[in-house]
Amino acid sequence: MILTELLDPITKYFEWLGDVTNVWTICVRILFTLLCGGIIGIERARKRHAAGFRTYILVCLGAAVVMMLNDFLSLKDGADAARLGAQVISGIGFLGAGTILITSKNRIKGLTTAAGLWAAACTGLAIGAGFYTLSIIAALSIVIILSI
């Protein structure tokens, strides 16, 4: 039994989704990443924020690809299973920092966008790791929070 089957009810019913070396699993994870990142990005684009549809998809997709690569390398070579994911979390801070501006009226703009990009990257990591239940709940939570 794969560990994710114990943690994620979706992989319990669809066992093949837990195998990182399966081509169909990789395709499902990529499509799911495009869906989650796209839904979050649509909400931001609708409000005319600089980081919108494409940005959120790319951040989510990049994080998922890194996590799938991380899982593959840990299976293949016994590499540290958290190393690449940790680098995404710290690296996305630089992207987020670029979205934060201080206006002439000493008001901070872009902080929510930066936080949304970071959360989208974390959602991508969860998708890449095959933790689908967490990914669904996280993506929906992000969209709800950004919509309010």
Side-chain angles (χ1 to χ4, degrees):
M1 181 179 285
I2 300 172
L3 179 60
T4 55
E5 291 176 25
L6 298 172
L7 300 174
D8 193 352
I10 293 174
T11 54
K12 183 177 181 180
Y13 297 109
F14 302 99
E15 292 177 16
W16 59 273
L17 284 174
D19 181 14
V20 73
T21 59
N22 182 333
V23 173
W24 296 111
T25 300
I26 294 169
C27 291
V28 166
R29 289 182 186 184
I30 295 293
L31 291 173
F32 190 51
T33 301
L34 297 175
L35 178 70
C36 289
I39 289 170
I40 297 167
I42 285 172
E43 192 285 328
R44 299 313 282 167
R46 190 174 51 102
K47 292 184 177 178
R48 300 196 186 283
H49 289 275
F53 182 70
R54 292 182 299 175
T55 304
Y56 277 88
I57 286 177
L58 289 172
V59 166
C60 199
L61 177 64
V65 168
V66 165
M67 199 60 185
M68 286 187 283
L69 174 62
N70 198 46
D71 285 349
F72 176 76
L73 291 175
S74 69
L75 288 173
K76 182 179 176 249
D77 298 330
D80 183 4
R83 181 167 293 181
L84 292 176
Q87 296 305 314
V88 168
I89 290 173
S90 62
I92 199 70
F94 288 102
L95 180 63
T99 66
I100 301 171
L101 302 169
I102 299 176
T103 66
S104 61
K105 297 178 184 176
N106 286 335
R107 296 190 65 198
I108 297 173
K109 294 188 73 139
L111 193 56
T112 302
T113 299
L117 288 170
W118 186 80
C122 292
T123 302
L125 289 173
I127 293 168
F131 200 170
Y132 301 102
T133 303
L134 173 63
S135 305
I136 292 167
I137 294 168
L140 291 175
S141 297
I142 294 167
V143 170
I144 290 168
I145 290 165
L146 292 176
S147 296
I148 296 175

